[in-house]
Amino acid sequence: MNDILDAILIGIVQGLTEFLPVSSSGHIEIAEAILGTDQEESMMLTIVLHFATALSTVVVYRKDIWEIIRGFFEFKNNESTHFVGKIVLSMIPAALVGFFLEDWLEKLFDGQILLVGCMLLLTAVLLYFADKAKNTEKSVSYKDAIIIGVAQAIAILPGISRSGATISTSVLLGDDRSKAARFSFLMVIPLIFGAIAKKILDAGGVLEFTNGPALLAGFIAAFISGIIACNWMIALVKKAKLTYFAIYCLIVGSIAIIYSLFFA
């Protein structure tokens, strides 16, 4: 990182866009391209910021998480046990993609602004159709969990919003909007912590923090903005206000494509 201010700006971008359906990875790629972030420092910052947003999810859903954990360890055939089973199922596609295609995926996170722009347009389409879907009271089923997991795996591509893809897929499958948002935000927590653990193991158990103050500043910015965005997104999904984000993704995606074709 060049300085603490850059880390704070990227942290805010990560915190807001991790939960709002506009693609955190796409916006981070754009922000880092503008700020000229070093690739090695960018990788460490990405790990720290994802950890921050995972913690913000835990804070927002702390009561739900506690109820799920408590119910699961009753070791009964209850709602919590089924919910954990669905979360595990949803993790499998993204875990497989991350494990077998990690090297290929890392190449996509290196200033691929044209790809980001195209994927943002795809996100816009998903959000638009999800917003037009009828609201129901249906819960996420095991079959839904697998399909939502596939959507999450595809959303590893920079420019496709993970929350947008998973929530939209869930709603299009006929699931209740609030339950879709809850499942989408909770399903990613184990994956983020798992990905961080893998990075630490790959580094021999030691991560080099070359710019501690900047990383800490980015962490705090992402954590606080993540809490705000998560609560905001929950309210927006309930009110079926995703079309506004579809328009936003359409505009930003178009700008990214024009920039990459004519100015990069």
Side-chain angles (χ1 to χ4, degrees):
M1 291 302 299
N2 294 324
D3 52 34
I4 292 175
L5 180 59
D6 284 357
I8 292 173
L9 290 173
I10 295 177
I12 292 172
V13 171
Q14 166 67 24
L16 293 177
T17 58
E18 176 65 30
F19 300 100
L20 300 180
V22 293
S23 177
S24 61
S25 59
H27 280 72
I28 292 296
E29 281 294 298
I30 293 171
E32 290 181 346
I34 293 172
L35 295 172
T37 306
D38 177 78
Q39 187 174 2
E40 184 176 343
E41 293 180 343
S42 170
M43 186 61 65
M44 177 55 66
L45 182 63
T46 298
I47 294 172
V48 170
L49 297 186
H50 276 86
F51 182 62
T53 50
L55 283 182
S56 64
T57 309
V58 171
V59 170
V60 172
Y61 281 102
R62 59 191 180 279
K63 293 181 180 179
D64 296 70
I65 292 172
W66 171 244
E67 289 297 323
I68 292 167
I69 293 173
R70 189 173 64 176
F72 178 75
F73 282 102
E74 290 178 356
F75 299 109
K76 297 179 180 178
N77 186 25
N78 55 29
E79 184 179 345
S80 295
T81 302
H82 286 290
F83 190 86
V84 171
K86 293 169 188 175
I87 290 291
V88 171
L89 273 178
S90 73
M91 290 168 53
I92 293 173
L96 290 174
V97 170
F99 184 80
F100 289 107
L101 301 177
E102 181 180 12
D103 293 338
W104 178 75
L105 288 170
E106 285 183 357
K107 295 177 183 178
L108 300 179
F109 290 85
D110 185 20
Q112 302 291 334
I113 305 301
L114 178 60
L115 174 64
V116 169
C118 293
M119 294 302 100
L120 279 169
L121 297 187
L122 179 58
T123 297
V125 172
L126 270 174
L127 293 173
Y128 175 79
F129 283 108
D131 219 23
K132 302 303 178 185
K134 293 182 180 179
N135 195 17
T136 69
E137 296 183 358
K138 177 177 171 287
S139 297
V140 176
S141 66
Y142 281 99
K143 179 182 177 182
D144 293 346
I146 295 173
I147 297 172
I148 296 167
V150 172
Q152 178 168 248
I154 295 172
I156 292 175
L157 293 171
I160 297 184
S161 165
R162 193 209 65 83
S163 63
T166 53
I167 292 173
S168 295
T169 300
S170 187
V171 170
L172 289 170
L173 289 170
D175 298 326
D176 173 80
R177 293 177 183 273
S178 297
K179 294 173 183 175
R182 177 174 178 263
F183 189 81
S184 170
F185 292 145
L186 292 179
M187 70 188 285
V188 77
I189 295 175
L191 276 176
I192 291 177
F193 287 137
I196 292 171
K198 184 177 183 301
K199 291 289 184 183
I200 294 172
L201 290 174
D202 290 345
V206 179
L207 293 177
E208 295 184 7
F209 295 90
T210 56
N211 195 339
L215 291 174
L216 178 61
F219 175 90
I220 294 171
F223 178 72
I224 295 173
S225 58
I227 290 175
I228 295 170
C230 187
N231 283 305
W232 187 23
M233 184 59 184
I234 293 168
L236 289 172
V237 172
K238 290 179 181 178
K239 297 176 182 178
K241 299 291 184 181
L242 298 180
T243 299
Y244 298 112
F245 292 103
I247 295 171
Y248 174 83
C249 288
L250 178 64
I251 294 171
V252 175
S254 299
I255 292 172
I257 290 171
I258 293 170
Y259 172 81
S260 65
L261 290 176
F262 299 103
F263 301 101

